Amino acid sequence: MIYPIVAYGDPILRKPTRFIEKDEVDLKKLSEDMFETMHGANGVGLAAPQIGLNIRIFVVDGTPFAERDEDDEDDEPDLSLVDFKKTFINPEILEETGEEWAFEEGCLSIPGIRGDVYRPETLRIRYRDLDWNEHEETYSGMAARIIQHEYDHLLGKLFVDYLPTLKKQFIKKKLTDISKGNVDADYRMRFPGRR
């Protein structure tokens, strides 16, 4: 099932999420639906608040970064992301280390807006998988960035929060337009005040 993506301005995107209890929801079905929704919108990550759920889960699929863009000779695929497709349940980032580096991020909830965000290059994270097994793993580079971006959603933070003040002023009208439903997206969206 493909969910509509919750648009910028909806209060759920600003609420910290709650931890999931074992057997509270059908995690395998929810994960499948989240992947289907994310792939339908050409995303590489999707967090529960983006489909209107206030629970601590996100999915990632870094495969597009592992594929070469035939039109861009300078495009080097990130082979570490070839099999980077996971579901993170009740994740907790334990540590972030390394040099902060910039990358132009976007968000399915904020279509048409992108901006450079600086994030630490490495993180250590604890989470549960779909079988409720606990893992503690370390990720670096683009994999870490995708996780950090989705993890922020669970805290009620968005990538635009990291942008410089001048850039925020520049995109203010666009953000307002998105929250009012005045935006073109290639996927179904849910706008504040509408169901």
Side-chain angles (χ1 to χ4, degrees), residues 24-179:
E24 173 187 348
V25 292
D26 183 343
L27 293 170
K28 289 191 166 117
K29 173 72 172 118
L30 177 58
S31 175
E32 276 175 32
D33 290 348
M34 288 178 73
F35 274 114
E36 190 178 354
T37 301
M38 178 186 74
H39 289 139
N42 294 313
V44 295
L46 186 71
Q50 293 181 278
I51 57 168
L53 300 176
N54 185 260
I55 54 176
R56 210 168 173 92
I57 180 174
F58 64 80
V59 298
V60 298
D61 184 354
T63 311
F65 288 111
E67 297 164 356
R68 186 174 189 87
D69 182 349
E70 298 300 327
D71 299 331
D72 186 356
E73 291 176 13
D74 297 331
D75 183 45
E76 282 301 316
D78 186 338
L79 299 179
S80 70
L81 298 174
V82 169
D83 294 317
F84 184 58
K85 183 178 178 186
K86 295 179 103 70
T87 301
F88 291 81
I89 300 160
N90 291 342
E92 293 178 89
I93 290 182
L94 305 173
E95 183 180 37
E96 292 177 297
T97 56
E99 194 88 13
E100 289 202 352
W101 60 290
F103 185 81
E104 189 181 60
E105 294 187 19
C107 180
L108 296 177
S109 294
I110 312 174
I113 296 177
R114 300 186 68 78
D116 279 347
V117 176
Y118 285 82
R119 298 187 187 272
E121 64 184 334
T122 302
L123 65 81
R124 198 162 49 87
I125 189 168
R126 181 188 305 128
Y127 68 97
R128 290 193 179 276
D129 64 20
L130 291 171
D131 296 316
W132 209 251
N133 298 313
E134 192 172 85
H135 301 269
E136 196 172 299
E137 296 168 348
T138 300
Y139 293 94
S140 292
M142 192 56 73
R145 177 171 295 273
I146 295 168
I147 290 169
Q148 288 160 328
H149 179 107
E150 298 311 321
Y151 187 82
D152 274 353
H153 277 295
L154 305 184
L155 305 177
K157 290 173 77 174
L158 301 169
F159 87 92
V160 292
D161 299 343
Y162 294 95
L163 300 179
T165 306
L166 193 60
K167 173 81 173 177
K168 284 182 190 169
Q169 289 171 342
F170 182 70
I171 63 171
K172 192 173 183 179
K173 184 186 179 322
K174 286 183 181 178
L175 291 172
T176 301
D177 285 347
I178 292 169
S179 68

